[in-house]
Amino acid sequence: LNEWMGRLNNAPAAKKKDPNFRNKLYGTIKPIIKKLGMEERLDALLMERYSVTSIKDLSDDNLKKVRNTVRSWQTTAEKNNKTEG
């Protein structure tokens, strides 16, 4: 179900049909960053790659890219935790 929802949310028409499109992305990014303790890493990414200080300043496309990057950080952290434990 999550994969299916992800595909729907990534469809080009998603942001036009869903007024909460950006809020859903914020709601994906912020808890992961907080859980991983990577606030400074996110801040550095935003400044270095996008020249902004907040995810709210990103375009829709760049916000999706940041969400994907954050998810990859989460996946890497989960894999590292499995190999350590």
Side-chain angles (χ1 to χ4, degrees), residues 10 15 24 29 31 34 55 65 68-69 78:
N10 277 330
K15 59 187 168 194
K24 287 180 182 178
I29 295 168
K34 187 171 183 174
I55 59 175
K65 289 177 185 177
N68 292 341
T69 299
E78 288 171 354

Side-chain angles (χ1 to χ4, degrees), residues 26-74:
Y26 300 149
T28 299
I29 295 168
K30 289 181 180 182
I32 294 171
I33 290 297
K34 187 171 183 174
K35 178 182 174 186
L36 298 176
M38 293 188 168
E39 293 88 349
E40 289 180 9
R41 187 172 178 187
L42 176 63
D43 291 344
L45 172 76
L46 294 175
M47 185 53 68
E48 291 169 12
R49 194 173 294 173
Y50 304 103
S51 300
V52 298
T53 57
S54 170
I55 59 175
K56 293 184 180 189
D57 297 329
L58 295 168
S59 68
D60 290 346
D61 289 338
N62 286 341
L63 185 58
K64 281 191 212 177
K65 289 177 185 177
V66 168
R67 187 255 339 254
N68 292 341
T69 299
V70 168
R71 281 189 174 162
S72 74
W73 294 347
Q74 180 184 31

